Amino acid sequence: MLKNIFLDVKKKFETALGVLRKEKITIAPEDPAAVSQYANVMKTVREKADLFSESQRIAYTIETRTAGIPDARTYLLTLKEIRERRGLIDEHGAEAMMMDALEKVEKEIKKPLMRNDKKGMALLTAEFDKINKKLGIRKEDLPKYEEQLELKIAKAQLEELKKDALEAMETQKKREEFKDEEMVEVKSLDVRNFL
């Protein structure tokens, strides 16, 4: 079993490297075109190597971590914990609104809301729909939000690559044999040469 897992991971790794060897990556996190191109390369890597996108990974985590939770309150608290562990920010304060909605529904039904309570969950879903409307969040816009998340991640990864490349060049420059060499601009580096 371990051998099969190892072979699967090895195959995915080799597939990812194959894509990265073909695609040019410009290390320029300040350039929106470079960020978009990098995001597309990483999307290709995920598709060809059969890897999860960040939103798919979050959905999978939610699905597995909440599978056995019977009540809505624990479910929402678990979602909050997952969000915090992932380093995602609740920019709109939606979590607090969702907890307020849960309080309202539980007050109305006069007991803790269980996830298998179809009537109670319908009430909670209606409250969540009101919150989404208030925040301007529409279900049909979810792919757009997913794309924005992928671009944010791509930019952060490019910033990290740039930082690492600058550090490596600074270290090289301190060595005696490279003192006379001029440092190249990070965005002129071709990542394919380093794979």
Side-chain angles (χ1 to χ4, degrees):
M1 188 172 110
L2 279 174
K3 181 181 175 185
N4 289 339
I5 292 170
F6 173 78
L7 290 174
D8 185 48
V9 170
K10 181 180 177 225
K11 180 181 170 204
K12 289 179 180 191
F13 179 74
E14 287 170 348
T15 302
L17 273 182
V19 172
L20 292 172
R21 281 191 182 108
K22 291 177 191 159
E23 300 287 342
K24 175 146 177 35
I25 294 171
T26 305
I27 305 173
E30 63 284 345
D31 179 7
V35 172
S36 178
Q37 192 260 347
Y38 177 75
N40 286 335
V41 169
M42 296 314 291
K43 183 178 181 185
T44 303
V45 166
R46 282 193 305 275
E47 287 170 353
K48 290 194 175 183
D50 196 27
L51 301 168
F52 282 161
S53 69
E54 187 62 22
S55 53
Q56 289 170 322
R57 194 174 297 130
I58 292 168
Y60 177 78
T61 302
I62 289 170
E63 190 178 309
T64 55
R65 294 268 321 276
T66 62
I69 297 175
D71 65 296
R73 182 171 303 280
T74 305
Y75 180 85
L76 290 179
L77 291 172
T78 304
L79 290 183
K80 179 180 180 179
E81 182 185 318
I82 291 168
R83 179 192 58 77
E84 288 171 347
R85 281 193 178 167
R86 286 262 174 221
L88 301 172
I89 299 163
D90 181 11
E91 297 167 354
H92 304 294
E95 263 170 16
M97 291 184 223
M98 289 165 59
M99 288 306 270
D100 290 344
L102 176 61
E103 296 281 342
K104 181 179 175 184
V105 169
E106 287 182 339
K107 198 179 230 179
E108 195 174 312
I109 64 173
K110 296 177 177 56
K111 62 179 181 180
L113 178 60
M114 303 308 278
R115 288 174 65 198
N116 63 2
D117 177 354
K118 287 185 177 22
K119 187 179 172 196
M121 287 304 288
L123 290 171
L124 185 62
T125 302
E127 290 296 321
F128 286 175
D129 289 342
K130 289 178 194 173
I131 292 168
N132 286 338
K133 189 173 184 176
K134 180 180 175 184
L135 295 174
I137 297 171
R138 301 178 332 187
K139 274 193 168 89
E140 54 270 16
D141 290 339
L142 289 179
K144 181 179 80 174
Y145 298 133
E146 184 175 341
E147 186 179 322
Q148 289 171 350
L149 174 65
E150 295 300 329
L151 285 173
K152 278 183 184 177
I153 291 167
K155 183 174 180 153
Q157 288 174 343
L158 278 178
E159 285 169 349
E160 191 65 28
L161 272 173
K162 183 177 182 176
K163 185 179 133 238
D164 291 346
L166 286 171
E167 273 179 29
M169 288 190 295
E170 287 293 334
T171 303
Q172 273 305 75
K173 196 171 181 171
K174 289 176 186 171
R175 295 176 66 190
E176 190 62 43
E177 62 266 28
F178 295 105
K179 281 212 187 281
D180 299 333
E181 301 257 342
E182 200 171 308
M183 272 184 30
V184 296
E185 231 180 283
V186 175
K187 66 180 171 185
S188 69
L189 296 173
D190 192 341
V191 174
R192 296 173 291 189
N193 294 332
F194 303 98
L195 294 177

